[in-house]
PDB file of all heavy atoms in Angstrom:
ATOM      1  N   ASN A   1      48.644 120.117  66.956  1.00  0.00           N
ATOM      2  CA  ASN A   1      48.149 121.245  67.743  1.00  0.00           C
ATOM      3  C   ASN A   1      46.638 121.202  67.969  1.00  0.00           C
ATOM      4  O   ASN A   1      46.067 122.114  68.557  1.00  0.00           O
ATOM      5  CB  ASN A   1      48.535 122.577  67.080  1.00  0.00           C
ATOM      6  CG  ASN A   1      47.811 122.796  65.765  1.00  0.00           C
ATOM      7  OD1 ASN A   1      47.130 121.907  65.259  1.00  0.00           O
ATOM      8  ND2 ASN A   1      47.973 123.981  65.201  1.00  0.00           N
ATOM      9  N   GLY A   2      45.973 120.131  67.474  1.00  0.00           N
ATOM     10  CA  GLY A   2      44.530 119.992  67.656  1.00  0.00           C
ATOM     11  C   GLY A   2      43.706 120.435  66.465  1.00  0.00           C
ATOM     12  O   GLY A   2      42.487 120.248  66.452  1.00  0.00           O
ATOM     13  N   ASP A   3      44.341 121.025  65.449  1.00  0.00           N
ATOM     14  CA  ASP A   3      43.597 121.413  64.255  1.00  0.00           C
ATOM     15  C   ASP A   3      43.022 120.180  63.575  1.00  0.00           C
ATOM     16  O   ASP A   3      43.682 119.144  63.471  1.00  0.00           O
ATOM     17  CB  ASP A   3      44.489 122.144  63.241  1.00  0.00           C
ATOM     18  CG  ASP A   3      44.741 123.596  63.613  1.00  0.00           C
ATOM     19  OD1 ASP A   3      44.024 124.126  64.487  1.00  0.00           O
ATOM     20  OD2 ASP A   3      45.643 124.205  63.005  1.00  0.00           O
ATOM     21  N   VAL A   4      41.787 120.305  63.090  1.00  0.00           N
ATOM     22  CA  VAL A   4      41.123 119.231  62.349  1.00  0.00           C
ATOM     23  C   VAL A   4      41.127 119.631  60.880  1.00  0.00           C
ATOM     24  O   VAL A   4      40.730 120.744  60.533  1.00  0.00           O
ATOM     25  CB  VAL A   4      39.672 119.025  62.851  1.00  0.00           C
ATOM     26  CG1 VAL A   4      38.957 117.963  62.020  1.00  0.00           C
ATOM     27  CG2 VAL A   4      39.674 118.649  64.323  1.00  0.00           C
ATOM     28  N   TRP A   5      41.594 118.727  60.039  1.00  0.00           N
ATOM     29  CA  TRP A   5      41.639 118.950  58.589  1.00  0.00           C
ATOM     30  C   TRP A   5      40.765 117.916  57.902  1.00  0.00           C
ATOM     31  O   TRP A   5      40.658 116.781  58.374  1.00  0.00           O
ATOM     32  CB  TRP A   5      43.059 118.763  58.039  1.00  0.00           C
ATOM     33  CG  TRP A   5      44.142 119.580  58.646  1.00  0.00           C
ATOM     34  CD1 TRP A   5      44.043 120.816  59.219  1.00  0.00           C
ATOM     35  CD2 TRP A   5      45.526 119.223  58.728  1.00  0.00           C
ATOM     36  NE1 TRP A   5      45.275 121.248  59.645  1.00  0.00           N
ATOM     37  CE2 TRP A   5      46.207 120.280  59.345  1.00  0.00           C
ATOM     38  CE3 TRP A   5      46.265 118.109  58.327  1.00  0.00           C
ATOM     39  CZ2 TRP A   5      47.580 120.264  59.576  1.00  0.00           C
ATOM     40  CZ3 TRP A   5      47.625 118.082  58.546  1.00  0.00           C
ATOM     41  CH2 TRP A   5      48.268 119.159  59.169  1.00  0.00           C
ATOM     42  N   THR A   6      40.192 118.269  56.769  1.00  0.00           N
ATOM     43  CA  THR A   6      39.475 117.276  55.970  1.00  0.00           C
ATOM     44  C   THR A   6      40.469 116.275  55.399  1.00  0.00           C
ATOM     45  O   THR A   6      40.177 115.095  55.288  1.00  0.00           O
ATOM     46  CB  THR A   6      38.703 117.925  54.809  1.00  0.00           C
ATOM     47  OG1 THR A   6      39.617 118.686  54.011  1.00  0.00           O
ATOM     48  CG2 THR A   6      37.571 118.781  55.318  1.00  0.00           C
ATOM     49  N   CYS A   7      41.648 116.754  55.025  1.00  0.00           N
ATOM     50  CA  CYS A   7      42.709 115.872  54.528  1.00  0.00           C
ATOM     51  C   CYS A   7      44.048 116.556  54.770  1.00  0.00           C
ATOM     52  O   CYS A   7      44.121 117.778  54.892  1.00  0.00           O
ATOM     53  CB  CYS A   7      42.522 115.533  53.056  1.00  0.00           C
ATOM     54  SG  CYS A   7      42.923 116.857  51.909  1.00  0.00           S
ATOM     55  N   CYS A   8      45.091 115.759  54.815  1.00  0.00           N
ATOM     56  CA  CYS A   8      46.400 116.329  55.125  1.00  0.00           C
ATOM     57  C   CYS A   8      47.068 116.951  53.910  1.00  0.00           C
ATOM     58  O   CYS A   8      48.026 117.703  54.060  1.00  0.00           O
ATOM     59  CB  CYS A   8      47.313 115.290  55.768  1.00  0.00           C
ATOM     60  SG  CYS A   8      47.736 113.932  54.703  1.00  0.00           S
ATOM     61  N   VAL A   9      46.578 116.673  52.725  1.00  0.00           N
ATOM     62  CA  VAL A   9      47.153 117.304  51.542  1.00  0.00           C
ATOM     63  C   VAL A   9      46.768 118.782  51.525  1.00  0.00           C
ATOM     64  O   VAL A   9      47.601 119.657  51.318  1.00  0.00           O
ATOM     65  CB  VAL A   9      46.715 116.592  50.250  1.00  0.00           C
ATOM     66  CG1 VAL A   9      47.158 117.348  49.015  1.00  0.00           C
ATOM     67  CG2 VAL A   9      47.262 115.170  50.231  1.00  0.00           C
ATOM     68  N   ARG A  10      45.514 119.067  51.790  1.00  0.00           N
ATOM     69  CA  ARG A  10      45.069 120.466  51.826  1.00  0.00           C
ATOM     70  C   ARG A  10      45.462 121.139  53.139  1.00  0.00           C
ATOM     71  O   ARG A  10      45.752 122.323  53.164  1.00  0.00           O
ATOM     72  CB  ARG A  10      43.562 120.537  51.623  1.00  0.00           C
ATOM     73  CG  ARG A  10      43.186 120.235  50.174  1.00  0.00           C
ATOM     74  CD  ARG A  10      41.730 120.375  49.982  1.00  0.00           C
ATOM     75  NE  ARG A  10      41.476 121.194  48.795  1.00  0.00           N
ATOM     76  CZ  ARG A  10      40.278 121.395  48.322  1.00  0.00           C
ATOM     77  NH1 ARG A  10      39.214 120.890  48.906  1.00  0.00           N
ATOM     78  NH2 ARG A  10      40.112 122.131  47.248  1.00  0.00           N
ATOM     79  N   ALA A  11      45.409 120.407  54.217  1.00  0.00           N
ATOM     80  CA  ALA A  11      45.832 120.886  55.535  1.00  0.00           C
ATOM     81  C   ALA A  11      45.235 122.236  55.896  1.00  0.00           C
ATOM     82  O   ALA A  11      45.914 123.106  56.418  1.00  0.00           O
ATOM     83  CB  ALA A  11      47.354 120.927  55.613  1.00  0.00           C
ATOM     84  N   GLN A  12      43.947 122.397  55.656  1.00  0.00           N
ATOM     85  CA  GLN A  12      43.252 123.627  56.021  1.00  0.00           C
ATOM     86  C   GLN A  12      42.418 123.345  57.267  1.00  0.00           C
ATOM     87  O   GLN A  12      41.507 122.526  57.230  1.00  0.00           O
ATOM     88  CB  GLN A  12      42.346 124.084  54.874  1.00  0.00           C
ATOM     89  CG  GLN A  12      43.118 124.522  53.650  1.00  0.00           C
ATOM     90  CD  GLN A  12      42.184 124.836  52.501  1.00  0.00           C
ATOM     91  OE1 GLN A  12      41.918 123.975  51.676  1.00  0.00           O
ATOM     92  NE2 GLN A  12      41.686 126.062  52.477  1.00  0.00           N
ATOM     93  N   PRO A  13      42.704 124.020  58.365  1.00  0.00           N
ATOM     94  CA  PRO A  13      41.942 123.766  59.591  1.00  0.00           C
ATOM     95  C   PRO A  13      40.464 124.120  59.434  1.00  0.00           C
ATOM     96  O   PRO A  13      40.117 125.155  58.873  1.00  0.00           O
ATOM     97  CB  PRO A  13      42.596 124.678  60.624  1.00  0.00           C
ATOM     98  CG  PRO A  13      43.908 125.068  60.041  1.00  0.00           C
ATOM     99  CD  PRO A  13      43.747 125.011  58.556  1.00  0.00           C
ATOM    100  N   VAL A  14      39.599 123.221  59.922  1.00  0.00           N
ATOM    101  CA  VAL A  14      38.166 123.484  59.938  1.00  0.00           C
ATOM    102  C   VAL A  14      37.690 123.692  61.365  1.00  0.00           C
ATOM    103  O   VAL A  14      36.519 123.979  61.605  1.00  0.00           O
ATOM    104  CB  VAL A  14      37.369 122.351  59.251  1.00  0.00           C
ATOM    105  CG1 VAL A  14      37.735 122.271  57.777  1.00  0.00           C
ATOM    106  CG2 VAL A  14      37.580 121.015  59.932  1.00  0.00           C
ATOM    107  N   GLY A  15      38.590 123.550  62.307  1.00  0.00           N
ATOM    108  CA  GLY A  15      38.303 123.736  63.716  1.00  0.00           C
ATOM    109  C   GLY A  15      39.476 123.213  64.518  1.00  0.00           C
ATOM    110  O   GLY A  15      40.434 122.677  63.959  1.00  0.00           O
ATOM    111  N   ASN A  16      39.401 123.402  65.835  1.00  0.00           N
ATOM    112  CA  ASN A  16      40.483 122.949  66.693  1.00  0.00           C
ATOM    113  C   ASN A  16      39.884 122.246  67.910  1.00  0.00           C
ATOM    114  O   ASN A  16      39.023 122.800  68.596  1.00  0.00           O
ATOM    115  CB  ASN A  16      41.360 124.123  67.139  1.00  0.00           C
ATOM    116  CG  ASN A  16      42.589 123.655  67.863  1.00  0.00           C
ATOM    117  OD1 ASN A  16      42.509 123.182  68.998  1.00  0.00           O
ATOM    118  ND2 ASN A  16      43.737 123.773  67.215  1.00  0.00           N
ATOM    119  N   LEU A  17      40.347 121.037  68.152  1.00  0.00           N
ATOM    120  CA  LEU A  17      39.810 120.238  69.256  1.00  0.00           C
ATOM    121  C   LEU A  17      40.044 120.875  70.616  1.00  0.00           C
ATOM    122  O   LEU A  17      39.253 120.681  71.546  1.00  0.00           O
ATOM    123  CB  LEU A  17      40.408 118.828  69.226  1.00  0.00           C
ATOM    124  CG  LEU A  17      39.937 117.952  68.069  1.00  0.00           C
ATOM    125  CD1 LEU A  17      40.722 116.651  68.031  1.00  0.00           C
ATOM    126  CD2 LEU A  17      38.449 117.683  68.176  1.00  0.00           C
ATOM    127  N   ARG A  18      41.081 121.649  70.763  1.00  0.00           N
ATOM    128  CA  ARG A  18      41.339 122.310  72.048  1.00  0.00           C
ATOM    129  C   ARG A  18      40.250 123.325  72.375  1.00  0.00           C
ATOM    130  O   ARG A  18      40.000 123.615  73.536  1.00  0.00           O
ATOM    131  CB  ARG A  18      42.703 122.997  72.020  1.00  0.00           C
ATOM    132  CG  ARG A  18      43.847 122.005  71.970  1.00  0.00           C
ATOM    133  CD  ARG A  18      45.171 122.703  71.880  1.00  0.00           C
ATOM    134  NE  ARG A  18      46.247 121.729  71.833  1.00  0.00           N
ATOM    135  CZ  ARG A  18      47.505 122.031  71.782  1.00  0.00           C
ATOM    136  NH1 ARG A  18      47.898 123.300  71.777  1.00  0.00           N
ATOM    137  NH2 ARG A  18      48.416 121.091  71.729  1.00  0.00           N
ATOM    138  N   GLN A  19      39.609 123.865  71.338  1.00  0.00           N
ATOM    139  CA  GLN A  19      38.558 124.860  71.546  1.00  0.00           C
ATOM    140  C   GLN A  19      37.197 124.227  71.791  1.00  0.00           C
ATOM    141  O   GLN A  19      36.231 124.922  72.099  1.00  0.00           O
ATOM    142  CB  GLN A  19      38.496 125.798  70.344  1.00  0.00           C
ATOM    143  CG  GLN A  19      39.766 126.603  70.176  1.00  0.00           C
ATOM    144  CD  GLN A  19      39.825 127.350  68.858  1.00  0.00           C
ATOM    145  OE1 GLN A  19      38.971 127.194  67.992  1.00  0.00           O
ATOM    146  NE2 GLN A  19      40.857 128.168  68.707  1.00  0.00           N
ATOM    147  N   THR A  20      37.096 122.892  71.653  1.00  0.00           N
ATOM    148  CA  THR A  20      35.825 122.207  71.859  1.00  0.00           C
ATOM    149  C   THR A  20      35.943 121.130  72.937  1.00  0.00           C
ATOM    150  O   THR A  20      35.192 120.164  72.932  1.00  0.00           O
ATOM    151  CB  THR A  20      35.330 121.546  70.552  1.00  0.00           C
ATOM    152  OG1 THR A  20      36.298 120.570  70.142  1.00  0.00           O
ATOM    153  CG2 THR A  20      35.088 122.571  69.466  1.00  0.00           C
ATOM    154  N   ALA A  21      36.884 121.303  73.851  1.00  0.00           N
ATOM    155  CA  ALA A  21      37.137 120.323  74.917  1.00  0.00           C
ATOM    156  C   ALA A  21      37.374 118.934  74.322  1.00  0.00           C
ATOM    157  O   ALA A  21      36.923 117.928  74.843  1.00  0.00           O
ATOM    158  CB  ALA A  21      35.999 120.313  75.934  1.00  0.00           C
ATOM    159  N   TYR A  22      38.063 118.910  73.174  1.00  0.00           N
ATOM    160  CA  TYR A  22      38.427 117.679  72.464  1.00  0.00           C
ATOM    161  C   TYR A  22      37.223 116.870  71.983  1.00  0.00           C
ATOM    162  O   TYR A  22      37.287 115.660  71.824  1.00  0.00           O
ATOM    163  CB  TYR A  22      39.383 116.817  73.296  1.00  0.00           C
ATOM    164  CG  TYR A  22      40.676 117.552  73.525  1.00  0.00           C
ATOM    165  CD1 TYR A  22      40.867 118.314  74.678  1.00  0.00           C
ATOM    166  CD2 TYR A  22      41.685 117.528  72.578  1.00  0.00           C
ATOM    167  CE1 TYR A  22      42.041 119.032  74.874  1.00  0.00           C
ATOM    168  CE2 TYR A  22      42.857 118.246  72.771  1.00  0.00           C
ATOM    169  CZ  TYR A  22      43.025 118.993  73.921  1.00  0.00           C
ATOM    170  OH  TYR A  22      44.175 119.713  74.105  1.00  0.00           O
ATOM    171  N   ASP A  23      36.134 117.575  71.722  1.00  0.00           N
ATOM    172  CA  ASP A  23      34.921 116.956  71.183  1.00  0.00           C
ATOM    173  C   ASP A  23      34.862 117.272  69.688  1.00  0.00           C
ATOM    174  O   ASP A  23      34.760 118.431  69.289  1.00  0.00           O
ATOM    175  CB  ASP A  23      33.699 117.524  71.912  1.00  0.00           C
ATOM    176  CG  ASP A  23      32.402 116.854  71.495  1.00  0.00           C
ATOM    177  OD1 ASP A  23      32.403 115.999  70.581  1.00  0.00           O
ATOM    178  OD2 ASP A  23      31.365 117.198  72.102  1.00  0.00           O
ATOM    179  N   LEU A  24      34.911 116.260  68.860  1.00  0.00           N
ATOM    180  CA  LEU A  24      34.904 116.442  67.407  1.00  0.00           C
ATOM    181  C   LEU A  24      33.532 116.840  66.873  1.00  0.00           C
ATOM    182  O   LEU A  24      33.428 117.524  65.849  1.00  0.00           O
ATOM    183  CB  LEU A  24      35.383 115.153  66.722  1.00  0.00           C
ATOM    184  CG  LEU A  24      35.472 115.166  65.199  1.00  0.00           C
ATOM    185  CD1 LEU A  24      36.500 116.207  64.723  1.00  0.00           C
ATOM    186  CD2 LEU A  24      35.836 113.789  64.673  1.00  0.00           C
ATOM    187  N   ARG A  25      32.475 116.453  67.562  1.00  0.00           N
ATOM    188  CA  ARG A  25      31.117 116.685  67.049  1.00  0.00           C
ATOM    189  C   ARG A  25      30.816 118.130  66.667  1.00  0.00           C
ATOM    190  O   ARG A  25      30.281 118.362  65.574  1.00  0.00           O
ATOM    191  CB  ARG A  25      30.075 116.158  68.029  1.00  0.00           C
ATOM    192  CG  ARG A  25      30.043 114.628  68.070  1.00  0.00           C
ATOM    193  CD  ARG A  25      29.129 114.137  69.127  1.00  0.00           C
ATOM    194  NE  ARG A  25      29.691 114.581  70.415  1.00  0.00           N
ATOM    195  CZ  ARG A  25      29.273 114.215  71.586  1.00  0.00           C
ATOM    196  NH1 ARG A  25      28.229 113.442  71.696  1.00  0.00           N
ATOM    197  NH2 ARG A  25      29.858 114.631  72.686  1.00  0.00           N
ATOM    198  N   PRO A  26      31.124 119.112  67.487  1.00  0.00           N
ATOM    199  CA  PRO A  26      30.787 120.485  67.080  1.00  0.00           C
ATOM    200  C   PRO A  26      31.530 120.920  65.803  1.00  0.00           C
ATOM    201  O   PRO A  26      30.995 121.698  65.012  1.00  0.00           O
ATOM    202  CB  PRO A  26      31.231 121.351  68.253  1.00  0.00           C
ATOM    203  CG  PRO A  26      31.440 120.432  69.389  1.00  0.00           C
ATOM    204  CD  PRO A  26      31.676 119.069  68.827  1.00  0.00           C
ATOM    205  N   ILE A  27      32.716 120.417  65.608  1.00  0.00           N
ATOM    206  CA  ILE A  27      33.486 120.775  64.416  1.00  0.00           C
ATOM    207  C   ILE A  27      32.927 120.043  63.199  1.00  0.00           C
ATOM    208  O   ILE A  27      32.711 120.638  62.141  1.00  0.00           O
ATOM    209  CB  ILE A  27      34.978 120.419  64.611  1.00  0.00           C
ATOM    210  CG1 ILE A  27      35.571 121.233  65.759  1.00  0.00           C
ATOM    211  CG2 ILE A  27      35.761 120.606  63.305  1.00  0.00           C
ATOM    212  CD1 ILE A  27      36.949 120.763  66.219  1.00  0.00           C
ATOM    213  N   TRP A  28      32.666 118.769  63.355  1.00  0.00           N
ATOM    214  CA  TRP A  28      32.354 117.890  62.223  1.00  0.00           C
ATOM    215  C   TRP A  28      30.909 117.978  61.758  1.00  0.00           C
ATOM    216  O   TRP A  28      30.612 117.821  60.589  1.00  0.00           O
ATOM    217  CB  TRP A  28      32.683 116.453  62.606  1.00  0.00           C
ATOM    218  CG  TRP A  28      33.005 115.592  61.434  1.00  0.00           C
ATOM    219  CD1 TRP A  28      32.296 114.514  61.002  1.00  0.00           C
ATOM    220  CD2 TRP A  28      34.102 115.713  60.553  1.00  0.00           C
ATOM    221  NE1 TRP A  28      32.902 113.959  59.906  1.00  0.00           N
ATOM    222  CE2 TRP A  28      34.023 114.686  59.615  1.00  0.00           C
ATOM    223  CE3 TRP A  28      35.178 116.612  60.471  1.00  0.00           C
ATOM    224  CZ2 TRP A  28      34.940 114.514  58.595  1.00  0.00           C
ATOM    225  CZ3 TRP A  28      36.105 116.431  59.466  1.00  0.00           C
ATOM    226  CH2 TRP A  28      35.981 115.403  58.539  1.00  0.00           C
ATOM    227  N   PHE A  29      29.978 118.240  62.673  1.00  0.00           N
ATOM    228  CA  PHE A  29      28.577 118.171  62.307  1.00  0.00           C
ATOM    229  C   PHE A  29      27.892 119.519  62.140  1.00  0.00           C
ATOM    230  O   PHE A  29      26.798 119.575  61.591  1.00  0.00           O
ATOM    231  CB  PHE A  29      27.802 117.303  63.312  1.00  0.00           C
ATOM    232  CG  PHE A  29      28.234 115.869  63.256  1.00  0.00           C
ATOM    233  CD1 PHE A  29      28.923 115.311  64.315  1.00  0.00           C
ATOM    234  CD2 PHE A  29      27.980 115.093  62.143  1.00  0.00           C
ATOM    235  CE1 PHE A  29      29.333 113.988  64.266  1.00  0.00           C
ATOM    236  CE2 PHE A  29      28.390 113.779  62.083  1.00  0.00           C
ATOM    237  CZ  PHE A  29      29.073 113.217  63.155  1.00  0.00           C
ATOM    238  N   GLU A  30      28.484 120.611  62.608  1.00  0.00           N
ATOM    239  CA  GLU A  30      27.844 121.912  62.442  1.00  0.00           C
ATOM    240  C   GLU A  30      27.994 122.439  61.020  1.00  0.00           C
ATOM    241  O   GLU A  30      27.224 123.273  60.582  1.00  0.00           O
ATOM    242  CB  GLU A  30      28.357 122.909  63.478  1.00  0.00           C
ATOM    243  CG  GLU A  30      27.858 122.557  64.873  1.00  0.00           C
ATOM    244  CD  GLU A  30      28.334 123.535  65.934  1.00  0.00           C
ATOM    245  OE1 GLU A  30      28.805 124.630  65.581  1.00  0.00           O
ATOM    246  OE2 GLU A  30      28.226 123.191  67.116  1.00  0.00           O
ATOM    247  N   GLN A  31      28.989 121.931  60.304  1.00  0.00           N
ATOM    248  CA  GLN A  31      29.213 122.254  58.894  1.00  0.00           C
ATOM    249  C   GLN A  31      29.114 123.752  58.604  1.00  0.00           C
ATOM    250  O   GLN A  31      28.323 124.188  57.781  1.00  0.00           O
ATOM    251  CB  GLN A  31      28.212 121.500  58.015  1.00  0.00           C
ATOM    252  CG  GLN A  31      28.369 120.009  58.094  1.00  0.00           C
ATOM    253  CD  GLN A  31      27.492 119.317  57.083  1.00  0.00           C
ATOM    254  OE1 GLN A  31      27.232 119.838  56.026  1.00  0.00           O
ATOM    255  NE2 GLN A  31      27.059 118.128  57.423  1.00  0.00           N
ATOM    256  N   VAL A  32      29.928 124.501  59.271  1.00  0.00           N
ATOM    257  CA  VAL A  32      29.924 125.939  59.030  1.00  0.00           C
ATOM    258  C   VAL A  32      31.183 126.347  58.276  1.00  0.00           C
ATOM    259  O   VAL A  32      32.217 125.685  58.337  1.00  0.00           O
ATOM    260  CB  VAL A  32      29.842 126.735  60.361  1.00  0.00           C
ATOM    261  CG1 VAL A  32      28.503 126.492  61.044  1.00  0.00           C
ATOM    262  CG2 VAL A  32      30.982 126.380  61.295  1.00  0.00           C
ATOM    263  N   GLY A  33      31.078 127.441  57.554  1.00  0.00           N
ATOM    264  CA  GLY A  33      32.227 128.098  56.931  1.00  0.00           C
ATOM    265  C   GLY A  33      33.148 127.218  56.135  1.00  0.00           C
ATOM    266  O   GLY A  33      32.777 126.631  55.136  1.00  0.00           O
ATOM    267  N   CYS A  34      34.366 127.122  56.609  1.00  0.00           N
ATOM    268  CA  CYS A  34      35.446 126.451  55.899  1.00  0.00           C
ATOM    269  C   CYS A  34      35.144 124.982  55.617  1.00  0.00           C
ATOM    270  O   CYS A  34      35.417 124.494  54.522  1.00  0.00           O
ATOM    271  CB  CYS A  34      36.739 126.597  56.698  1.00  0.00           C
ATOM    272  SG  CYS A  34      38.178 125.934  55.867  1.00  0.00           S
ATOM    273  N   LEU A  35      34.572 124.268  56.575  1.00  0.00           N
ATOM    274  CA  LEU A  35      34.276 122.857  56.378  1.00  0.00           C
ATOM    275  C   LEU A  35      33.270 122.677  55.245  1.00  0.00           C
ATOM    276  O   LEU A  35      33.440 121.816  54.379  1.00  0.00           O
ATOM    277  CB  LEU A  35      33.758 122.204  57.657  1.00  0.00           C
ATOM    278  CG  LEU A  35      33.389 120.717  57.545  1.00  0.00           C
ATOM    279  CD1 LEU A  35      34.576 119.882  57.078  1.00  0.00           C
ATOM    280  CD2 LEU A  35      32.860 120.209  58.876  1.00  0.00           C
ATOM    281  N   ARG A  36      32.239 123.483  55.228  1.00  0.00           N
ATOM    282  CA  ARG A  36      31.235 123.406  54.166  1.00  0.00           C
ATOM    283  C   ARG A  36      31.890 123.639  52.804  1.00  0.00           C
ATOM    284  O   ARG A  36      31.650 122.899  51.850  1.00  0.00           O
ATOM    285  CB  ARG A  36      30.114 124.402  54.394  1.00  0.00           C
ATOM    286  CG  ARG A  36      29.018 124.305  53.322  1.00  0.00           C
ATOM    287  CD  ARG A  36      27.886 125.301  53.518  1.00  0.00           C
ATOM    288  NE  ARG A  36      27.215 125.030  54.782  1.00  0.00           N
ATOM    289  CZ  ARG A  36      26.919 125.975  55.687  1.00  0.00           C
ATOM    290  NH1 ARG A  36      27.223 127.228  55.470  1.00  0.00           N
ATOM    291  NH2 ARG A  36      26.313 125.656  56.799  1.00  0.00           N
TER     292      ARG A  36
END
């Protein structure tokens, strides 16, 4: 569904590629909230 997880065991979404026009950079490098 476009959710990005740090790992599939935890499977906690840190963002969704559909919300960033399929650009991983805003999800991966902004390091906000859940990802941090």
